[in-house]
Each structure stands twice: as structure tokens, then as C-alpha cells.
Amino acid sequence: MGSQSDWPTMKNASKILKSFKITHEVKIISAHRTPKRMFEFAEKAEQRGIKIIIAGAGGAAHLPGMTASISNLPILGVPIESKKLKGLDSLLSIAQMPAGIPVGSLAVGEAGAINAALLAVSILGIENNSLQNKYKLWRSKQTSSVSKKPSK
Ligand code: RP5
């Protein structure tokens, strides 16, 4: 994520990954404030065995796109809800990538962070039957938890 201030949102992704026992690391890397850190991380991620990068950023949210410009790994971008524009700036910055450098953009805020992690689980599950089964179970539990009628 781009800043400590993104962590309240991005910790929702980490919680999901933990619940599926997915080994992951959590880092603050800013495309603007720490560009060298970003470059080094993105350049070495694949050889370090990382499979998917979830990048959360807000405002002029260049972290997902710039990471995608350096790494061939799948990049899932989470637009953080910014104070001034409620995340519309983040969403457009992340979604409107030029053709040829893909970033999978999720929803603004907490839902996006949760779904980025679930999408990562789903992608990793393609080559991992046990993970795929855990994901199916998670989805079916969610379905069963939805009441047919509202409570009083
Ligand atoms: C972006 O700027 C970060 O991703 C964060 O969402 C936003 C604001 O950062 P802070 O000023 O709160 O550190 O780089």
C-alpha cells in the first residue's frame, strides 16, 4: 500500500488471506514518496516467488499501474477512499490504464480490499485444489448466511 493511512482499508485484504492461510507480506511502498523501493520490489517480486501483487493506493494512485509497468505478475489494484474525492480519483487512476499494461481494478475501499484478496485466492486456486475447495466452501457459507427475510 502507498501509505500507513491505507492500512485500515488494506488490513481487510490481509485478514482474508490469513483466514485462507495464504503466505503474504504487507508493505508500505509509495510510487511517489519511495519510488526506488517500488522499483526494487516490483523488479524482484517474481524471482522471490511472489505470485500476485495486491496494491492499494489513494488519490493520484499510481502504485498499482507503476508496479504493473515493471512486473509481469498479476496486479490487483484497490482504490483507497480518498478524503477529498471519496476515492473517485483513486478509482480512475487505477482503472484507466493504457492498453498493454493491465491492472485489475477492484471497488473503492473495504469491499475492494476484501475482493482483491478473494480474487487472489480464486486465481491461486486454479492450480491448487485444496485452496479451490476452501474457496468454494467460503462462498457456500456466505450464501447460506443470507436470510430470506429481513430481521425485525
Ligand atoms: C497515496 O496517497 C496513498 O496511497 C494514500 O492513499 C494517499 C495519502 O497518503 P497520506 O498523505 O495519508 O500518507 O500515495
Side-chain angles (χ1 to χ4, degrees), residues 1-6 30 32-33 56-59 80 83:
M1 72 207 86
S3 167
Q4 174 67 40
S5 65
D6 298 334
S30 166
H32 303 118
R33 293 173 179 150
I80 302 293
K83 286 181 200 119

Side-chain angles (χ1 to χ4, degrees), residues 16-150:
I16 294 277
L17 296 173
K18 262 188 209 153
S19 74
F20 281 93
K21 298 192 170 28
I22 308 269
T23 308
H24 64 287
E25 54 187 31
V26 177
K27 288 180 183 292
I28 296 173
I29 296 175
S30 166
H32 303 118
R33 293 173 179 150
T34 67
K36 284 186 186 155
R37 202 187 293 176
M38 178 198 65
F39 197 92
E40 194 177 310
F41 173 81
E43 203 176 38
K44 294 194 177 147
E46 195 172 345
Q47 73 200 52
R48 289 178 52 225
I50 289 170
K51 302 290 183 210
I52 297 171
I53 296 172
I54 298 175
H62 294 148
L63 181 64
M66 286 308 295
T67 302
S69 77
I70 300 160
S71 172
N72 293 318
L73 291 171
I75 314 291
L76 307 179
V78 179
I80 302 293
E81 187 174 338
S82 54
K83 286 181 200 119
K84 302 287 181 203
L85 300 177
K86 302 271 175 231
L88 184 59
D89 44 358
S90 324
L91 177 65
L92 297 179
S93 300
I94 293 175
Q96 291 300 111
M97 287 296 292
I101 305 293
V103 169
S105 179
L106 282 298
V108 173
E110 185 180 325
I114 290 169
N115 284 344
L118 291 173
L119 196 53
V121 168
S122 164
I123 295 167
L124 294 169
I126 293 168
E127 299 289 339
N128 180 333
N129 280 342
S130 126
L131 185 59
Q132 197 169 53
N133 288 335
K134 273 195 209 167
Y135 183 53
K136 281 181 188 163
L137 186 64
W138 190 96
R139 293 281 298 255
S140 81
K141 275 187 186 161
Q142 175 175 246
T143 300
S144 322
S145 77
V146 180
S147 312
K148 288 190 178 159
K149 289 184 178 176

